[in-house]
Amino acid sequence: MFKIALIGAGRIGQVHAENIANHPNTCLASVVEPYDANAEIVCNKYGAQRQSVEQVMQDETIDGICICSATNTHADMIELAANAGKAIFCEKPIDLDLSRVRDCLAVVSNHQAPLLVGFNRRFDPQFVELKRQFEQGKIGKASTLSIISRDPEPPSAQYVNVSGGMFRDMSIHDLDMARFILGEDPVSIYATGSCLIDPEIGQAGDIDTGVIVMRFPSGAIATIQNSRQSGYGYDQRIELHGELGALQAMNKNENHIVSMTDTGTETAKPMHFFLERYKDAYQVEWQHFVDVLNGQSPSCSGYDGEIALQLADSAIVSLKTGRCIDL
Amino acid sequence: MFKIALIGAGRIGQVHAENIANHPNTCLASVVEPYDANAEIVCNKYGAQRQSVEQVMQDETIDGICICSATNTHADMIELAANAGKAIFCEKPIDLDLSRVRDCLAVVSNHQAPLLVGFNRRFDPQFVELKRQFEQGKIGKASTLSIISRDPEPPSAQYVNVSGGMFRDMSIHDLDMARFILGEDPVSIYATGSCLIDPEIGQAGDIDTGVIVMRFPSGAIATIQNSRQSGYGYDQRIELHGELGALQAMNKNENHIVSMTDTGTETAKPMHFFLERYKDAYQVEWQHFVDVLNGQSPSCSGYDGEIALQLADSAIVSLKTGRCIDL
Amino acid sequence: MFKIALIGAGRIGQVHAENIANHPNTCLASVVEPYDANAEIVCNKYGAQRQSVEQVMQDETIDGICICSATNTHADMIELAANAGKAIFCEKPIDLDLSRVRDCLAVVSNHQAPLLVGFNRRFDPQFVELKRQFEQGKIGKASTLSIISRDPEPPSAQYVNVSGGMFRDMSIHDLDMARFILGEDPVSIYATGSCLIDPEIGQAGDIDTGVIVMRFPSGAIATIQNSRQSGYGYDQRIELHGELGALQAMNKNENHIVSMTDTGTETAKPMHFFLERYKDAYQVEWQHFVDVLNGQSPSCSGYDGEIALQLADSAIVSLKTGRCIDL
Amino acid sequence: MFKIALIGAGRIGQVHAENIANHPNTCLASVVEPYDANAEIVCNKYGAQRQSVEQVMQDETIDGICICSATNTHADMIELAANAGKAIFCEKPIDLDLSRVRDCLAVVSNHQAPLLVGFNRRFDPQFVELKRQFEQGKIGKASTLSIISRDPEPPSAQYVNVSGGMFRDMSIHDLDMARFILGEDPVSIYATGSCLIDPEIGQAGDIDTGVIVMRFPSGAIATIQNSRQSGYGYDQRIELHGELGALQAMNKNENHIVSMTDTGTETAKPMHFFLERYKDAYQVEWQHFVDVLNGQSPSCSGYDGEIALQLADSAIVSLKTGRCIDL
């Protein structure tokens, strides 16, 4: 039984807390959380104790830490945990600043600390199945990859201000997914975007609608479509086209009921947001962290986190200059 | 070029008129129709002349007749045409009275007249494709067949009075379809029904909602679900289950647009009624009648018309007695 | 925290054991199980102790019992638990003999023991959603209900011998579902069936393919199609037609991937069997038993178990006599 | 009845010949075609006479001409017909050279000749319905438009050599469709592409896989994905996302049969190619040309043809330079 300390017990922290507690090989030993309310929810529910960061790092019984705190604390927590010899799970991103990410990963590397970066979609059974069928040769060599990712509704302007912008905050998942599916790193990136949904997002200097195109060494081309507002729930689709055909990962809907009436045939909307849509992905992700605790290499490394951020940064340059950026 | 006389230029007669005129090997030579308005539409559109029944039968240039007149005239027209040596296409049913049907078919037989009975669904490309995949062995030996047939809205009570009742008027298509798909004749039939849509239909002694179950020598079981009102267009589905799986013929919808909004995901309704849904079936049917004119055996014979009516009659007995009827 | 004793730790018992252990208000205190292997799996996994039936009934700390033992022990266990003042969850059926069921329920009634009968499909979120939309008036008054239930593959002939036959073993769920959806009790039942899949089932005097038709006081008609072998996983669909349209509960598939290649467009099969398909239904069911422990009336009572068995018995009479049975 | 001369009786010419002959207000009077075999097919089938270009232009009984000859003859034919006072239907493109197109359109303009350019997809009932629902406000203001267009298999290298390249030959339809759906002209275009299917296409200096991104004045962004080989028939989909949701035009499949077996659930492929997929679009298009003959303005003008070619040319510049081109 591995003892886990949770750093940050907000919305996503509580998702991980449940998975930690339910997994037969991990238990939630302690929680670091500045807000009493969040800390109490998790401590009461899973019998965890509340600790400070220093206590966690000095506590030799703690095997792994799960970092779900604010983005600007991630790199510090990773470094402390690497120093303390803990296995590290960290929610994306490592940091919004690429040089800070690189410094942090150097520390991780020096300590040979096991680090799993939480690109949760890599663990989604749908996308894993699509990749499996692709790798089994069902559609031959890849030609075009299309990733659609739309949030149900825009975040607050306040959040947008600290998010690093849509490409670093939201598209970063899709940039990683393109590398994950195709198994290669892009050679160029072009991006464009608009503010069409919420003028406050535009006033904050950001976009809410974007398209990114990446070229890969094999000649394959990936297209990403992002929106901060779908109007119909969480739109998370992937379509991969190859020599012999195409594979699609469709949305998961709220239910499987079809109604047929005078106004048409109706099915349910896609599940509302990531907590519902990726509920099982978070479980698979945690299972993989248990594998990492048992000595396996992380399938989503610090390097993957670094590259995704670098691509997001290049997308921003492309958006601002109107140029296609060579990588 | 075969010259065709159309007997009856109402709604379904006009469907056939167009197919006759458009087919490269047939032309619409003459029309028998009591109402001037209908007659003029067809004569003007296709350059046909108006004739009486007697003129048609005596006109040696007429190769085939297409009977679309009122149901109670079908058997007379068939006999006259058989006597006159014409090839005969007749809309279902031959007659609502089984003994009249048998007498009529005896005349047809005596003259060895080619007679194609218009069970249009046998020519529907969807149902033909389902049967083809079944016969190719895709699902092995048949076990259960489910036929769903719902009209968009109920007919007038006036029509119900002369229709012979829902089983003879509407279910007769499905009774024939079960024989067509399974390739055998049933050994028993059970039927039940209700009047749930239009009380006037009930007052006319008929039902508007019905279920029929038939057993076949192979052990296969067919279920038919009928309604005079779907609420969402013309519901025409078949599902055949066998040892290795199932085949479904789905509805054809008004269009291929999907909308995704806050209220759900919406596609179009099924096509409204038989004129739209079976537009291509009527064309294939007419092509087959041209094959019959060229000497081929009719794939849907007088015998098929007789059996379907006999099954409808038995279904009515079952409905009234609550007993399963052995055939 | 309610303490639960599990009677029977086989396949379905292990499903309930997990739900009992995971629920925040119940814990698995003890297990009664004749086979050491099964008992050890559950005791080790959830920290439960092994007890005899007598020990469970005398153990005053046990609040509820969960009966998952062999069918022929259900009624005895229910009576013992009712005498001991425990809340009772019992897997269907109460017994295969209707008079034994009635005797048992009299005991339950005398002790006013809370009894929840495990018709798991009543708790399936899909069927619950269909019922909710129906009750909200989306399709108006019901006319025809069609229930399709096909197992992926037939059970062993050995199992068939003790199962009470397909109608009592398998269709009983669908008979109950028809009452659950329509909210009324049928007035007549007709059934037919064949042995088409496994000749050993026929030699055991049973069928593997069946169709049941029931009429209800409102005039609504329900049709059930059953097969012991689908060829494509667990086929569990419901379609309800009403004045204004229809509602369908579709299958849940193994994944959401679509492939488009030269041979066609392909999606995954339905989930393999009940353990996967009804995983969430079992969880909702257990939540309801916790509500019963807290004083709520069981939504699926002993009476529901009795009626479903009575309908299955009548279906068998109809199958054997070829008559429609008035109820 | 308008008399029509067909210039070019190859594959697409024969599609138009049938529609001309079947339309109640047009007849196929004459055919200009260098190959005897093609000319005979059409003359025999529709009773048309064979003429030379000069004869057609001097024949005062000819009301309209339908240009389906080789691309490099289109502009000449248009000018001759404009001079001769005929109404003109011309298959896309007007020419592969933009200055030639402009010269030709100046001639058309001088003669105020009615000219309909055959962007057939504008008349496809599916895309028209999508546009209708969009314009009715179903999804609010447009944000992203995604057009997928994949041919079933690549053309011969010989054809590629005279085609003007994939963007001018194939993407031109999608470039036009983006303007048609969004109702505005783009302000920038970015394109990239690869040769992944047929090396001979690459040796001919062309690509077989491409992605185009266009920005519009409203901020809307259109993405086009093209491939010369789908592997599964003709893939023709449009997805339009707006403030309130999304609209999708799905593929039309070869049939409506679904099979469920051990290997999965299977539906038919998309219709093979444009002759099948756009059969009804060509009929609607011809109906519109009859409207033009009757004095209506062409809904797809020479200007539309010019702009689409200009966009294709800009896409080629973008492809070659890697820059986003301002328009």
Side-chain angles (χ1 to χ4, degrees):
Chain A
M1 183 72 78
F2 296 105
K3 291 194 167 181
I4 307 296
L6 178 70
I7 316 285
R11 188 168 58 167
I12 188 66
Q14 292 180 26
V15 169
H16 289 297
E18 184 174 351
N19 292 336
I20 292 166
N22 282 347
H23 194 285
N25 303 130
T26 57
C27 67
L28 186 64
S30 76
V31 174
V32 178
E33 164 62 44
Y35 293 101
D36 290 345
N38 283 341
E40 273 164 34
I41 288 171
V42 173
C43 288
N44 290 344
K45 200 161 177 184
Y46 305 108
Q49 59 171 322
R50 195 165 172 189
Q51 288 185 317
S52 67
V53 170
E54 293 73 15
Q55 287 170 326
V56 164
M57 299 303 167
Q58 285 160 18
D59 185 341
E60 296 200 343
T61 69
I62 299 293
D63 301 291
I65 68 161
C66 176
I67 304 174
C68 304
S69 46
T71 292
N72 60 5
T73 66
H74 286 188
D76 290 346
M77 292 301 124
I78 290 172
E79 289 178 352
L80 288 170
N83 276 312
K86 315 292 189 197
I88 310 160
F89 172 89
C90 185
E91 269 299 318
K92 69 96 204 169
I94 296 171
D95 195 88
L96 292 171
D97 180 79
L98 194 55
S99 62
R100 181 73 190 89
V101 170
R102 285 170 180 154
D103 291 346
C104 173
L105 293 180
V107 175
V108 170
S109 176
N110 286 342
H111 290 86
Q112 297 189 299
L115 167 62
L116 176 62
V117 173
F119 281 123
N120 57 308
R121 295 184 199 170
R122 286 192 178 220
F123 303 94
D124 176 63
Q126 308 308 320
F127 300 150
V128 167
E129 174 66 15
L130 183 146
K131 186 173 158 74
R132 192 189 65 79
Q133 292 191 21
F134 167 51
E135 287 175 351
Q136 282 196 340
K138 191 153 189 173
I139 58 166
K141 208 174 51 175
S143 51
T144 48
L145 171 66
S146 173
I147 300 176
I148 289 174
S149 174
R150 295 187 180 116
D151 285 353
E153 59 225 350
S156 64
Q158 187 188 357
Y159 175 84
V160 165
N161 278 321
V162 299
S163 71
M166 191 176 79
F167 286 157
R168 279 197 200 92
D169 177 49
M170 186 175 162
S171 312
I172 197 168
H173 280 290
D174 308 299
L175 294 163
D176 180 64
M177 185 51 60
R179 294 179 62 238
F180 174 68
I181 297 289
L182 293 174
E184 46 180 349
D185 284 340
V187 293
S188 73
I189 188 165
Y190 167 79
T192 188
S194 298
C195 179
L196 295 171
I197 297 156
D198 184 351
E200 284 196 30
I201 291 176
Q203 282 152 26
D206 200 7
I207 55 171
D208 50 31
T209 305
V211 169
I212 298 172
V213 179
M214 293 189 288
R215 285 185 55 85
F216 289 78
S218 66
I221 305 168
T223 308
I224 296 169
Q225 293 180 52
N226 288 132
S227 170
R228 285 289 195 184
Q229 178 177 284
S230 73
Y232 48 86
Y234 199 34
D235 193 358
Q236 297 283 294
R237 285 174 287 158
I238 293 183
E239 181 167 328
L240 178 62
H241 188 257
E243 292 165 294
L244 308 173
L247 293 168
Q248 299 173 303
M250 309 302 272
N251 281 318
K252 291 171 73 174
N253 294 334
E254 289 179 342
N255 61 56
H256 289 69
I257 304 301
V258 177
S259 74
M260 301 184 288
T261 63
D262 190 46
T263 56
T265 300
E266 214 177 272
T267 55
K269 279 186 296 186
M271 288 175 170
H272 184 62
F273 211 177
F274 64 96
L275 295 181
E276 298 85 17
R277 171 65 181 84
Y278 291 120
K279 187 179 165 64
D280 52 0
Y282 288 116
Q283 290 167 355
V284 177
E285 185 181 62
W286 189 253
Q287 172 58 56
H288 180 59
F289 187 62
V290 174
D291 296 339
V292 170
L293 283 161
N294 281 317
Q296 204 173 301
S297 284
S299 67
C300 185
S301 67
Y303 177 74
D304 294 310
E306 177 189 339
I307 296 290
L309 181 63
Q310 187 190 333
L311 292 174
D313 283 359
S314 298
I316 292 171
V317 175
S318 177
L319 172 70
K320 295 207 166 139
T321 62
R323 289 188 300 109
C324 175
I325 309 299
D326 290 326
L327 300 166
Chain B
M1 183 73 77
F2 296 105
K3 290 195 167 180
I4 307 296
L6 178 71
I7 317 284
R11 188 168 57 168
I12 190 66
Q14 292 180 24
V15 169
H16 289 297
E18 183 174 351
N19 292 336
I20 293 167
N22 282 346
H23 195 285
N25 303 129
T26 57
C27 66
L28 187 65
S30 76
V31 175
V32 177
E33 164 63 44
Y35 294 102
D36 290 346
N38 283 341
E40 274 165 32
I41 287 171
V42 174
C43 288
N44 290 343
K45 202 161 177 183
Y46 305 109
Q49 60 170 321
R50 197 166 170 189
Q51 288 185 317
S52 68
V53 170
E54 293 74 13
Q55 287 172 325
V56 164
M57 299 303 168
Q58 286 160 18
D59 185 341
E60 296 200 343
T61 69
I62 300 291
D63 301 291
I65 68 161
C66 175
I67 305 174
C68 304
S69 46
T71 292
N72 60 4
T73 66
H74 287 188
D76 291 346
M77 292 301 125
I78 289 171
E79 290 177 352
L80 289 169
N83 276 313
K86 314 292 191 198
I88 309 161
F89 173 89
C90 184
E91 268 300 317
K92 69 94 201 168
I94 297 170
D95 196 86
L96 292 173
D97 180 78
L98 195 54
S99 62
R100 180 73 189 89
V101 169
R102 285 171 179 151
D103 291 347
C104 173
L105 293 179
V107 174
V108 170
S109 177
N110 287 341
H111 290 86
Q112 296 188 300
L115 167 62
L116 176 62
V117 172
F119 281 124
N120 57 309
R121 296 183 200 171
R122 286 192 178 219
F123 303 95
D124 175 63
Q126 308 308 319
F127 300 151
V128 167
E129 174 66 14
L130 183 146
K131 186 173 159 74
R132 192 189 66 79
Q133 292 191 20
F134 167 51
E135 288 175 350
Q136 283 196 339
K138 190 152 189 173
I139 58 166
K141 209 174 49 174
S143 52
T144 47
L145 171 67
S146 173
I147 300 176
I148 290 174
S149 175
R150 295 187 180 114
D151 285 354
E153 61 225 350
S156 65
Q158 187 189 355
Y159 175 84
V160 166
N161 279 321
V162 299
S163 71
M166 190 176 79
F167 286 157
R168 279 198 200 91
D169 177 49
M170 185 176 163
S171 312
I172 197 168
H173 280 290
D174 308 299
L175 294 163
D176 180 64
M177 185 52 58
R179 294 180 62 240
F180 174 67
I181 297 289
L182 293 173
E184 47 179 348
D185 283 339
V187 293
S188 74
I189 188 165
Y190 167 79
T192 187
S194 298
C195 180
L196 295 171
I197 297 157
D198 184 353
E200 283 196 30
I201 291 177
Q203 281 151 26
D206 200 6
I207 55 171
D208 50 31
T209 306
V211 169
I212 298 172
V213 179
M214 293 189 287
R215 285 186 56 84
F216 289 78
S218 65
I221 305 167
T223 309
I224 296 168
Q225 294 181 53
N226 288 132
S227 171
R228 285 288 196 185
Q229 177 177 283
S230 72
Y232 48 85
Y234 198 35
D235 193 358
Q236 297 283 295
R237 286 174 288 158
I238 294 183
E239 181 167 328
L240 177 62
H241 188 256
E243 291 165 295
L244 308 173
L247 293 167
Q248 300 173 303
M250 309 302 272
N251 281 318
K252 291 169 73 174
N253 294 334
E254 288 179 342
N255 60 57
H256 290 69
I257 305 302
V258 176
S259 73
M260 302 185 286
T261 63
D262 190 46
T263 56
T265 300
E266 215 177 271
T267 55
K269 281 187 293 187
M271 288 174 171
H272 184 62
F273 211 176
F274 64 96
L275 296 181
E276 298 86 18
R277 171 64 180 84
Y278 291 120
K279 187 179 166 61
D280 51 0
Y282 288 117
Q283 290 166 355
V284 176
E285 186 182 63
W286 189 254
Q287 171 58 54
H288 181 59
F289 187 62
V290 174
D291 296 339
V292 170
L293 282 160
N294 281 317
Q296 204 173 300
S297 284
S299 66
C300 185
S301 68
Y303 176 75
D304 294 310
E306 176 188 341
I307 296 291
L309 182 64
Q310 186 189 332
L311 292 173
D313 283 359
S314 299
I316 292 171
V317 175
S318 178
L319 172 70
K320 297 209 165 135
T321 61
R323 289 189 301 109
C324 174
I325 308 299
D326 290 326
L327 300 167
Chain C
M1 183 72 79
F2 296 105
K3 290 193 168 182
I4 307 297
L6 178 70
I7 316 285
R11 188 168 56 167
I12 189 66
Q14 292 180 24
V15 169
H16 289 296
E18 184 174 351
N19 292 336
I20 293 167
N22 282 346
H23 195 283
N25 303 129
T26 57
C27 67
L28 187 64
S30 77
V31 175
V32 177
E33 164 61 44
Y35 293 101
D36 291 344
N38 284 340
E40 273 164 32
I41 287 172
V42 174
C43 289
N44 291 343
K45 202 161 175 184
Y46 305 110
Q49 60 170 320
R50 197 166 171 188
Q51 289 185 316
S52 68
V53 170
E54 293 73 15
Q55 286 171 326
V56 164
M57 299 304 168
Q58 287 161 16
D59 185 340
E60 296 200 343
T61 69
I62 299 292
D63 301 291
I65 69 161
C66 176
I67 305 174
C68 305
S69 47
T71 292
N72 61 5
T73 67
H74 287 189
D76 291 346
M77 292 301 126
I78 289 171
E79 290 178 352
L80 288 169
N83 277 312
K86 314 292 191 197
I88 310 160
F89 172 90
C90 183
E91 269 299 318
K92 70 94 203 169
I94 296 170
D95 196 87
L96 292 172
D97 181 77
L98 194 54
S99 63
R100 181 72 189 89
V101 170
R102 285 170 179 154
D103 291 347
C104 174
L105 293 179
V107 174
V108 170
S109 177
N110 287 341
H111 290 86
Q112 298 188 299
L115 167 62
L116 175 63
V117 173
F119 281 123
N120 58 307
R121 295 182 201 172
R122 286 192 177 219
F123 303 94
D124 175 63
Q126 308 308 320
F127 300 152
V128 166
E129 174 66 15
L130 183 146
K131 186 173 159 71
R132 192 189 66 77
Q133 292 191 21
F134 167 50
E135 288 175 350
Q136 282 196 340
K138 191 153 190 173
I139 58 166
K141 210 174 48 174
S143 52
T144 47
L145 171 67
S146 173
I147 299 176
I148 289 174
S149 174
R150 294 187 181 115
D151 285 353
E153 61 225 349
S156 64
Q158 186 189 358
Y159 174 84
V160 165
N161 279 320
V162 299
S163 71
M166 191 177 78
F167 286 156
R168 279 199 200 89
D169 178 48
M170 186 176 162
S171 313
I172 197 169
H173 280 289
D174 308 300
L175 295 162
D176 179 64
M177 184 51 60
R179 293 180 62 240
F180 174 67
I181 297 288
L182 293 174
E184 48 179 348
D185 283 341
V187 294
S188 74
I189 188 166
Y190 167 79
T192 187
S194 297
C195 179
L196 295 171
I197 298 157
D198 183 352
E200 284 197 30
I201 291 176
Q203 282 152 27
D206 200 5
I207 56 171
D208 50 31
T209 305
V211 170
I212 298 172
V213 179
M214 294 189 287
R215 285 186 56 85
F216 289 78
S218 65
I221 305 167
T223 309
I224 296 169
Q225 293 181 54
N226 288 132
S227 170
R228 286 289 197 185
Q229 177 177 284
S230 72
Y232 48 85
Y234 199 34
D235 193 358
Q236 297 283 294
R237 286 174 288 157
I238 294 183
E239 182 169 326
L240 178 62
H241 188 258
E243 291 166 294
L244 308 174
L247 293 167
Q248 299 172 303
M250 309 301 272
N251 281 318
K252 291 170 72 174
N253 294 335
E254 288 179 342
N255 61 56
H256 290 69
I257 304 302
V258 176
S259 74
M260 302 184 286
T261 63
D262 189 46
T263 57
T265 299
E266 215 177 272
T267 55
K269 277 187 296 186
M271 288 175 170
H272 183 62
F273 211 177
F274 64 96
L275 296 181
E276 298 85 17
R277 171 65 181 84
Y278 291 120
K279 186 179 166 63
D280 52 0
Y282 288 117
Q283 290 166 355
V284 177
E285 185 181 63
W286 189 254
Q287 172 58 55
H288 181 59
F289 187 61
V290 174
D291 296 338
V292 170
L293 282 161
N294 281 317
Q296 204 174 300
S297 283
S299 66
C300 185
S301 67
Y303 177 74
D304 293 311
E306 177 189 341
I307 295 290
L309 182 63
Q310 186 189 332
L311 292 174
D313 282 1
S314 298
I316 292 170
V317 175
S318 177
L319 172 70
K320 296 209 165 136
T321 62
R323 289 188 301 108
C324 175
I325 309 299
D326 291 325
L327 300 167
Chain D
M1 185 72 81
F2 296 105
K3 291 195 166 179
I4 307 296
L6 178 70
I7 316 285
R11 188 168 57 167
I12 189 66
Q14 291 180 25
V15 169
H16 290 295
E18 184 175 351
N19 292 336
I20 292 165
N22 282 347
H23 195 286
N25 303 130
T26 57
C27 67
L28 187 64
S30 77
V31 175
V32 178
E33 164 62 45
Y35 293 101
D36 291 344
N38 283 340
E40 273 165 33
I41 288 172
V42 174
C43 289
N44 290 344
K45 202 162 177 184
Y46 305 109
Q49 59 171 323
R50 196 165 170 189
Q51 289 185 317
S52 67
V53 171
E54 292 74 15
Q55 286 171 323
V56 164
M57 299 305 167
Q58 286 161 16
D59 185 340
E60 296 200 342
T61 68
I62 299 292
D63 300 291
I65 68 162
C66 176
I67 305 174
C68 303
S69 47
T71 292
N72 60 5
T73 66
H74 287 189
D76 290 346
M77 292 301 126
I78 290 172
E79 289 179 351
L80 289 170
N83 276 312
K86 314 292 190 196
I88 310 160
F89 172 89
C90 183
E91 268 299 319
K92 69 93 202 171
I94 297 170
D95 196 87
L96 291 172
D97 180 78
L98 194 55
S99 62
R100 180 72 189 90
V101 170
R102 285 172 180 154
D103 290 346
C104 173
L105 292 180
V107 174
V108 169
S109 177
N110 286 342
H111 291 86
Q112 296 188 298
L115 167 62
L116 176 62
V117 173
F119 280 123
N120 57 309
R121 295 182 201 171
R122 286 192 178 219
F123 303 94
D124 176 62
Q126 308 308 320
F127 300 151
V128 167
E129 174 66 14
L130 183 146
K131 186 172 159 73
R132 192 189 66 79
Q133 292 191 21
F134 167 50
E135 288 175 350
Q136 282 196 340
K138 190 153 190 172
I139 58 166
K141 209 173 48 174
S143 52
T144 47
L145 171 67
S146 174
I147 300 175
I148 290 173
S149 175
R150 294 186 181 116
D151 286 353
E153 61 225 350
S156 66
Q158 187 189 357
Y159 174 83
V160 165
N161 278 321
V162 299
S163 70
M166 191 176 79
F167 286 157
R168 280 198 199 91
D169 178 48
M170 186 176 163
S171 312
I172 197 168
H173 280 289
D174 308 299
L175 295 163
D176 180 63
M177 185 51 61
R179 294 180 62 238
F180 174 67
I181 296 289
L182 293 173
E184 47 179 350
D185 283 341
V187 293
S188 75
I189 189 165
Y190 167 79
T192 188
S194 298
C195 179
L196 295 170
I197 298 157
D198 184 352
E200 284 196 31
I201 291 177
Q203 281 152 25
D206 200 6
I207 55 171
D208 50 31
T209 305
V211 169
I212 298 172
V213 179
M214 292 189 287
R215 286 186 56 85
F216 288 78
S218 65
I221 305 167
T223 309
I224 296 168
Q225 294 181 52
N226 289 132
S227 170
R228 286 289 196 184
Q229 177 176 284
S230 73
Y232 49 86
Y234 198 35
D235 193 357
Q236 298 282 294
R237 286 174 286 157
I238 293 183
E239 181 167 327
L240 177 63
H241 187 258
E243 291 166 293
L244 309 173
L247 293 167
Q248 300 172 302
M250 309 302 272
N251 281 318
K252 292 170 72 174
N253 294 334
E254 288 179 342
N255 61 56
H256 290 68
I257 304 302
V258 176
S259 74
M260 301 185 287
T261 63
D262 189 46
T263 57
T265 299
E266 215 178 271
T267 55
K269 280 186 295 186
M271 288 174 170
H272 184 62
F273 211 177
F274 64 97
L275 296 181
E276 299 85 18
R277 171 65 181 83
Y278 291 120
K279 186 178 166 62
D280 51 1
Y282 288 117
Q283 289 166 355
V284 177
E285 185 181 63
W286 188 254
Q287 173 57 55
H288 180 59
F289 188 61
V290 173
D291 296 339
V292 170
L293 283 161
N294 281 318
Q296 204 173 300
S297 283
S299 66
C300 185
S301 67
Y303 176 74
D304 293 310
E306 177 189 340
I307 296 290
L309 182 63
Q310 186 189 333
L311 291 174
D313 282 0
S314 299
I316 292 171
V317 174
S318 177
L319 173 71
K320 296 210 166 136
T321 63
R323 290 188 299 110
C324 175
I325 309 298
D326 290 325
L327 300 167

